[in-house]
Amino acid sequence: MTHDVVPWDTPGPLSGPIGVPLVDLLDRVLATGVVVSGDLVIAIADVPLVRVSLHALLSSVSERVPAPWADSGPL
């Protein structure tokens, strides 16, 4: 079963799967930012042994926006 991919910027009503180019998706994500968050728990016999938490913010950086630090950053 094959489907014709519908461009994501079509002005009319959509019918079928929507195709979004990876470059456009990455550009939109970096322009607005995204937060990735997750937990990993390693357990044996329902006894949790190790827990790892991940919280990450992905966003683009612009030279036109001044740094919030007085000395332009910690590095």
Side-chain angles (χ1 to χ4, degrees), residues 20-41:
V20 178
L22 183 61
V23 173
D24 290 340
L25 180 63
L26 185 61
D27 182 50
R28 185 172 294 181
V29 165
L30 289 178
T32 58
V34 66
V35 175
V36 178
S37 157
D39 291 317
L40 173 69
V41 177

Side-chain angles (χ1 to χ4, degrees), residues 32-64:
T32 58
V34 66
V35 175
V36 178
S37 157
D39 291 317
L40 173 69
V41 177
I42 298 175
I44 296 177
D46 290 332
V47 177
L49 300 174
V50 177
R51 179 179 179 180
V52 177
S53 294
L54 169 71
H55 303 285
L57 171 66
L58 302 175
S59 181
S60 62
V61 177
S62 175
E63 293 179 5
R64 294 180 286 174

Side-chain angles (χ1 to χ4, degrees), residues 9-24:
D9 57 352
T10 302
L14 300 176
S15 62
I18 300 172
V20 178
L22 183 61
V23 173
D24 290 340

